[in-house]
Amino acid sequence: MNKPRRNGITLLQYILGVNVTQIGTSILTLPSELAKMATTDGWISIVVGWMIATIVSLCIIGVMAKHPGATIYDVLTHYLGKWFGGAWIIILMCSSLFIAMIVFYEVLRLIKLFILPNTSSGLLAIFFMIPTYMVLRSGIRIFARYAEFVFFFTLWLPILLLVPLKDAEFIFML
């Protein structure tokens, strides 16, 4: 079934969207929380999580490449049947909604913790819903373009991290 390419994204936009989502939701608090729980061996779980996300993404790309122009709903109903595929779609929708609520809560918590500690959570939620509505209204393509822009715009930041490296204790980097 051929769908219009109005909301289609490129492979690079998909990869950068996954990258922005993985890094953007955990870069501020994950290192300290991981160091408290797993001590210096915590970096192993980050690498394992990255590998799992990469393998799942490659599987999605492979399956969707066999069905150009099809949606995830089309692919699931093709392979799993009408009823079982529909059930999986409902499960995917519910889990996506749950994950979106967790990310929404965590972003509000981080904004309140690091940027605007004296602002009420309700007001922050309202202000955060405005760009969220704009992205939802425009579809996945606007998010993919944003991810592509952010990636290339922040490509120079790892060079900035090399400045304090001369004073670093390398045993603490693991």
Side-chain angles (χ1 to χ4, degrees):
M1 177 185 294
N2 289 331
K3 301 285 184 201
R5 291 268 312 161
R6 186 181 74 81
N7 268 339
I9 60 174
T10 65
L11 179 62
L12 178 66
Q13 288 175 334
Y14 172 75
I15 292 169
L16 295 178
V18 170
N19 182 37
V20 164
T21 305
Q22 285 179 336
I23 292 175
T25 57
S26 61
I27 193 104
L28 292 176
T29 61
L30 183 66
S32 65
E33 291 175 7
L34 192 61
K36 288 177 191 172
M37 299 261 187
T39 63
T40 56
D41 293 332
W43 64 273
I44 296 170
S45 62
I46 292 176
V47 172
V48 169
W50 168 77
M51 287 190 326
I52 291 171
T54 302
I55 290 169
V56 168
S57 293
L58 290 174
C59 290
I60 290 172
I61 290 171
V63 169
M64 295 308 280
K66 290 182 181 178
H67 304 282
T71 63
I72 191 75
Y73 178 78
D74 297 333
V75 172
L76 283 176
T77 54
H78 173 73
Y79 283 116
L80 302 177
K82 182 179 179 181
W83 295 104
F84 199 59
W88 268 107
I89 290 296
I90 291 172
I91 290 170
L92 282 174
M93 287 171 43
C94 290
S95 66
S96 297
L97 181 63
F98 181 68
I99 291 169
M101 288 175 16
I102 290 173
V103 169
F104 182 76
Y105 171 76
E106 284 296 315
V107 167
L108 285 181
R109 186 179 70 84
L110 291 174
I111 289 173
K112 189 158 178 67
L113 183 68
F114 291 114
I115 300 171
L116 300 169
N118 296 329
T119 308
S120 71
S121 296
L123 189 61
L124 282 176
I126 290 171
F127 285 145
F128 190 68
M129 288 183 138
I130 294 170
T132 303
Y133 169 74
M134 292 170 64
V135 168
L136 289 176
R137 188 188 62 178
S138 301
I140 190 72
R141 188 169 193 161
I142 193 76
F143 171 74
R145 285 180 176 174
Y146 170 76
E148 194 172 20
F149 170 76
V150 166
F151 177 78
F152 289 116
F153 190 72
T154 60
L155 206 54
W156 60 274
L157 285 177
I159 297 169
L160 189 65
L161 293 174
L162 295 176
V163 172
L165 200 59
K166 66 181 183 300
D167 301 323
E169 291 288 334
F170 289 101
I171 189 71
F172 298 134
M173 295 185 76
L174 291 178

Short mmCIF file of all heavy atoms in Angstrom, two decimals, residues 61-98:
data_model
loop_
_atom_site.label_atom_id
_atom_site.label_comp_id
_atom_site.label_asym_id
_atom_site.label_seq_id
_atom_site.Cartn_x
_atom_site.Cartn_y
_atom_site.Cartn_z
N ILE A 61 14.81 -1.06 10.23
CA ILE A 61 15.19 -0.59 8.90
C ILE A 61 15.13 -1.73 7.89
O ILE A 61 14.64 -1.57 6.77
CB ILE A 61 16.60 0.05 8.93
CG1 ILE A 61 16.55 1.36 9.69
CG2 ILE A 61 17.13 0.26 7.52
CD1 ILE A 61 17.92 1.95 9.98
N GLY A 62 15.61 -2.91 8.28
CA GLY A 62 15.59 -4.06 7.37
C GLY A 62 14.19 -4.50 7.00
O GLY A 62 13.90 -4.77 5.83
N VAL A 63 13.30 -4.57 7.98
CA VAL A 63 11.93 -4.99 7.69
C VAL A 63 11.22 -3.94 6.85
O VAL A 63 10.52 -4.27 5.89
CB VAL A 63 11.16 -5.26 9.01
CG1 VAL A 63 9.67 -5.42 8.76
CG2 VAL A 63 11.71 -6.49 9.69
N MET A 64 11.40 -2.67 7.18
CA MET A 64 10.72 -1.62 6.44
C MET A 64 11.30 -1.47 5.03
O MET A 64 10.60 -1.02 4.12
CB MET A 64 10.79 -0.29 7.18
CG MET A 64 10.05 -0.29 8.51
SD MET A 64 8.34 -0.86 8.42
CE MET A 64 7.54 0.59 7.82
N ALA A 65 12.57 -1.84 4.82
CA ALA A 65 13.16 -1.78 3.48
C ALA A 65 12.53 -2.83 2.56
O ALA A 65 12.45 -2.63 1.35
CB ALA A 65 14.66 -1.99 3.56
N LYS A 66 12.07 -3.94 3.12
CA LYS A 66 11.41 -4.97 2.32
C LYS A 66 10.00 -4.55 1.91
O LYS A 66 9.40 -5.14 1.03
CB LYS A 66 11.33 -6.28 3.10
CG LYS A 66 12.67 -6.95 3.28
CD LYS A 66 12.51 -8.26 4.02
CE LYS A 66 13.86 -8.91 4.21
NZ LYS A 66 13.77 -10.17 4.96
N HIS A 67 9.46 -3.55 2.59
CA HIS A 67 8.10 -3.08 2.32
C HIS A 67 8.11 -1.56 2.12
O HIS A 67 7.63 -0.82 2.98
CB HIS A 67 7.16 -3.45 3.48
CG HIS A 67 7.15 -4.90 3.79
ND1 HIS A 67 6.45 -5.81 3.05
CD2 HIS A 67 7.78 -5.61 4.77
CE1 HIS A 67 6.63 -7.02 3.55
NE2 HIS A 67 7.44 -6.92 4.59
N PRO A 68 8.65 -1.09 1.01
CA PRO A 68 8.70 0.37 0.81
C PRO A 68 7.30 0.95 0.67
O PRO A 68 6.43 0.38 0.03
CB PRO A 68 9.50 0.53 -0.49
CG PRO A 68 9.42 -0.80 -1.16
CD PRO A 68 9.21 -1.83 -0.10
N GLY A 69 7.09 2.07 1.32
CA GLY A 69 5.80 2.73 1.26
C GLY A 69 4.79 2.22 2.27
O GLY A 69 3.71 2.79 2.40
N ALA A 70 5.11 1.16 3.00
CA ALA A 70 4.18 0.60 3.98
C ALA A 70 4.41 1.26 5.34
O ALA A 70 5.51 1.71 5.66
CB ALA A 70 4.38 -0.91 4.10
N THR A 71 3.36 1.30 6.13
CA THR A 71 3.46 1.79 7.50
C THR A 71 3.72 0.61 8.43
O THR A 71 3.64 -0.55 8.02
CB THR A 71 2.17 2.51 7.92
OG1 THR A 71 1.10 1.56 7.91
CG2 THR A 71 1.87 3.67 6.99
N ILE A 72 4.00 0.92 9.68
CA ILE A 72 4.23 -0.15 10.66
C ILE A 72 2.95 -0.97 10.85
O ILE A 72 2.99 -2.18 11.05
CB ILE A 72 4.77 0.41 12.00
CG1 ILE A 72 5.27 -0.69 12.92
CG2 ILE A 72 3.73 1.22 12.72
CD1 ILE A 72 6.57 -1.26 12.51
N TYR A 73 1.80 -0.32 10.73
CA TYR A 73 0.53 -1.03 10.82
C TYR A 73 0.38 -2.02 9.67
O TYR A 73 -0.02 -3.17 9.88
CB TYR A 73 -0.63 -0.03 10.82
CG TYR A 73 -1.98 -0.69 10.86
CD1 TYR A 73 -2.49 -1.19 12.04
CD2 TYR A 73 -2.75 -0.84 9.70
CE1 TYR A 73 -3.72 -1.81 12.09
CE2 TYR A 73 -3.98 -1.45 9.74
CZ TYR A 73 -4.46 -1.93 10.93
OH TYR A 73 -5.67 -2.56 10.97
N ASP A 74 0.74 -1.60 8.47
CA ASP A 74 0.66 -2.49 7.31
C ASP A 74 1.58 -3.70 7.47
O ASP A 74 1.20 -4.83 7.17
CB ASP A 74 1.04 -1.74 6.03
CG ASP A 74 0.07 -0.61 5.70
OD1 ASP A 74 -1.10 -0.71 6.11
OD2 ASP A 74 0.51 0.36 5.05
N VAL A 75 2.80 -3.47 7.95
CA VAL A 75 3.76 -4.56 8.10
C VAL A 75 3.31 -5.55 9.17
O VAL A 75 3.37 -6.77 8.98
CB VAL A 75 5.16 -3.99 8.42
CG1 VAL A 75 6.14 -5.09 8.78
CG2 VAL A 75 5.69 -3.19 7.24
N LEU A 76 2.83 -5.03 10.31
CA LEU A 76 2.41 -5.93 11.38
C LEU A 76 1.17 -6.74 10.99
O LEU A 76 1.10 -7.94 11.30
CB LEU A 76 2.14 -5.15 12.67
CG LEU A 76 3.38 -4.71 13.44
CD1 LEU A 76 3.00 -3.86 14.64
CD2 LEU A 76 4.22 -5.89 13.86
N THR A 77 0.22 -6.13 10.32
CA THR A 77 -0.94 -6.90 9.90
C THR A 77 -0.59 -7.87 8.77
O THR A 77 -1.22 -8.93 8.65
CB THR A 77 -2.09 -5.97 9.44
OG1 THR A 77 -1.61 -5.08 8.44
CG2 THR A 77 -2.67 -5.22 10.62
N HIS A 78 0.42 -7.56 7.98
CA HIS A 78 0.86 -8.48 6.93
C HIS A 78 1.49 -9.73 7.54
O HIS A 78 1.19 -10.85 7.11
CB HIS A 78 1.85 -7.77 6.01
CG HIS A 78 2.48 -8.66 4.99
ND1 HIS A 78 1.80 -9.16 3.90
CD2 HIS A 78 3.74 -9.17 4.90
CE1 HIS A 78 2.60 -9.93 3.19
NE2 HIS A 78 3.79 -9.95 3.78
N TYR A 79 2.36 -9.55 8.53
CA TYR A 79 3.07 -10.68 9.11
C TYR A 79 2.28 -11.40 10.21
O TYR A 79 2.41 -12.61 10.37
CB TYR A 79 4.42 -10.25 9.68
CG TYR A 79 5.47 -10.03 8.62
CD1 TYR A 79 6.01 -8.77 8.41
CD2 TYR A 79 5.92 -11.07 7.83
CE1 TYR A 79 6.97 -8.56 7.44
CE2 TYR A 79 6.87 -10.87 6.85
CZ TYR A 79 7.39 -9.61 6.66
OH TYR A 79 8.33 -9.41 5.70
N LEU A 80 1.50 -10.67 10.99
CA LEU A 80 0.85 -11.26 12.16
C LEU A 80 -0.65 -11.49 11.97
O LEU A 80 -1.28 -12.07 12.85
CB LEU A 80 1.08 -10.38 13.39
CG LEU A 80 2.54 -10.13 13.77
CD1 LEU A 80 2.63 -9.18 14.95
CD2 LEU A 80 3.25 -11.43 14.07
N GLY A 81 -1.21 -11.02 10.90
CA GLY A 81 -2.65 -11.16 10.69
C GLY A 81 -3.40 -9.94 11.19
O GLY A 81 -2.85 -9.07 11.87
N LYS A 82 -4.68 -9.90 10.86
CA LYS A 82 -5.48 -8.71 11.16
C LYS A 82 -5.65 -8.51 12.67
O LYS A 82 -5.44 -7.42 13.19
CB LYS A 82 -6.84 -8.83 10.49
CG LYS A 82 -7.73 -7.63 10.69
CD LYS A 82 -9.05 -7.80 9.97
CE LYS A 82 -9.94 -6.61 10.20
NZ LYS A 82 -11.22 -6.75 9.54
N TRP A 83 -6.02 -9.55 13.40
CA TRP A 83 -6.33 -9.40 14.82
C TRP A 83 -5.08 -9.33 15.68
O TRP A 83 -4.96 -8.45 16.55
CB TRP A 83 -7.23 -10.54 15.29
CG TRP A 83 -8.56 -10.49 14.62
CD1 TRP A 83 -9.01 -11.28 13.61
CD2 TRP A 83 -9.60 -9.54 14.88
NE1 TRP A 83 -10.26 -10.90 13.22
CE2 TRP A 83 -10.66 -9.82 13.99
CE3 TRP A 83 -9.76 -8.48 15.76
CZ2 TRP A 83 -11.84 -9.10 13.98
CZ3 TRP A 83 -10.93 -7.76 15.74
CH2 TRP A 83 -11.94 -8.07 14.85
N PHE A 84 -4.14 -10.23 15.47
CA PHE A 84 -2.92 -10.22 16.27
C PHE A 84 -2.06 -9.00 15.95
O PHE A 84 -1.46 -8.40 16.84
CB PHE A 84 -2.15 -11.53 16.06
CG PHE A 84 -1.15 -11.82 17.12
CD1 PHE A 84 -1.54 -11.95 18.44
CD2 PHE A 84 0.19 -11.96 16.81
CE1 PHE A 84 -0.61 -12.23 19.43
CE2 PHE A 84 1.13 -12.22 17.79
CZ PHE A 84 0.72 -12.36 19.11
N GLY A 85 -2.01 -8.62 14.68
CA GLY A 85 -1.29 -7.40 14.30
C GLY A 85 -1.93 -6.16 14.89
O GLY A 85 -1.24 -5.25 15.34
N GLY A 86 -3.26 -6.13 14.90
CA GLY A 86 -3.97 -5.01 15.53
C GLY A 86 -3.71 -4.93 17.02
O GLY A 86 -3.59 -3.85 17.59
N ALA A 87 -3.63 -6.11 17.66
CA ALA A 87 -3.33 -6.13 19.09
C ALA A 87 -1.93 -5.59 19.35
O ALA A 87 -1.71 -4.84 20.32
CB ALA A 87 -3.47 -7.56 19.63
N TRP A 88 -0.97 -5.94 18.50
CA TRP A 88 0.39 -5.43 18.66
C TRP A 88 0.43 -3.93 18.44
O TRP A 88 1.20 -3.21 19.10
CB TRP A 88 1.36 -6.13 17.72
CG TRP A 88 2.00 -7.30 18.37
CD1 TRP A 88 1.74 -8.61 18.13
CD2 TRP A 88 2.98 -7.28 19.40
NE1 TRP A 88 2.50 -9.40 18.94
CE2 TRP A 88 3.29 -8.60 19.74
CE3 TRP A 88 3.65 -6.26 20.08
CZ2 TRP A 88 4.21 -8.94 20.71
CZ3 TRP A 88 4.57 -6.60 21.05
CH2 TRP A 88 4.84 -7.92 21.35
N ILE A 89 -0.38 -3.43 17.51
CA ILE A 89 -0.44 -1.98 17.29
C ILE A 89 -0.96 -1.29 18.55
O ILE A 89 -0.43 -0.25 18.96
CB ILE A 89 -1.33 -1.65 16.07
CG1 ILE A 89 -0.65 -2.10 14.79
CG2 ILE A 89 -1.67 -0.17 16.00
CD1 ILE A 89 0.63 -1.37 14.48
N ILE A 90 -1.97 -1.85 19.18
CA ILE A 90 -2.51 -1.27 20.41
C ILE A 90 -1.46 -1.30 21.51
O ILE A 90 -1.29 -0.31 22.26
CB ILE A 90 -3.80 -1.99 20.83
CG1 ILE A 90 -4.90 -1.66 19.82
CG2 ILE A 90 -4.23 -1.59 22.24
CD1 ILE A 90 -6.17 -2.45 20.02
N ILE A 91 -0.72 -2.41 21.61
CA ILE A 91 0.34 -2.50 22.61
C ILE A 91 1.43 -1.46 22.34
O ILE A 91 1.91 -0.79 23.26
CB ILE A 91 0.93 -3.93 22.65
CG1 ILE A 91 -0.10 -4.90 23.23
CG2 ILE A 91 2.24 -3.98 23.44
CD1 ILE A 91 0.28 -6.35 23.09
N LEU A 92 1.81 -1.31 21.07
CA LEU A 92 2.81 -0.30 20.71
C LEU A 92 2.32 1.12 21.02
O LEU A 92 3.09 1.96 21.51
CB LEU A 92 3.17 -0.40 19.24
CG LEU A 92 4.13 -1.52 18.84
CD1 LEU A 92 4.27 -1.59 17.33
CD2 LEU A 92 5.48 -1.31 19.49
N MET A 93 1.05 1.38 20.75
CA MET A 93 0.50 2.70 21.03
C MET A 93 0.49 2.98 22.53
O MET A 93 0.88 4.08 22.96
CB MET A 93 -0.92 2.82 20.46
CG MET A 93 -0.95 2.94 18.96
SD MET A 93 -2.60 2.84 18.22
CE MET A 93 -3.59 3.81 19.28
N CYS A 94 0.09 2.00 23.32
CA CYS A 94 0.05 2.19 24.78
C CYS A 94 1.45 2.37 25.35
O CYS A 94 1.67 3.23 26.20
CB CYS A 94 -0.66 1.02 25.45
SG CYS A 94 -2.42 0.97 25.13
N SER A 95 2.40 1.55 24.89
CA SER A 95 3.76 1.70 25.41
C SER A 95 4.38 3.02 24.95
O SER A 95 5.11 3.66 25.72
CB SER A 95 4.63 0.52 24.98
OG SER A 95 4.81 0.51 23.59
N SER A 96 4.09 3.45 23.74
CA SER A 96 4.61 4.75 23.28
C SER A 96 4.02 5.89 24.08
O SER A 96 4.73 6.85 24.43
CB SER A 96 4.30 4.94 21.79
OG SER A 96 4.95 3.98 21.02
N LEU A 97 2.75 5.81 24.40
CA LEU A 97 2.12 6.84 25.23
C LEU A 97 2.72 6.85 26.62
O LEU A 97 3.01 7.92 27.18
CB LEU A 97 0.61 6.60 25.30
CG LEU A 97 -0.19 7.62 26.11
CD1 LEU A 97 -0.09 9.00 25.49
CD2 LEU A 97 -1.64 7.18 26.22
N PHE A 98 2.96 5.68 27.18
CA PHE A 98 3.56 5.58 28.51
C PHE A 98 4.98 6.16 28.51
O PHE A 98 5.35 6.93 29.40
CB PHE A 98 3.57 4.12 28.96
CG PHE A 98 4.15 3.91 30.33
CD1 PHE A 98 3.50 4.37 31.45
CD2 PHE A 98 5.37 3.24 30.47
CE1 PHE A 98 4.04 4.19 32.71
CE2 PHE A 98 5.92 3.06 31.72
CZ PHE A 98 5.26 3.53 32.85
#
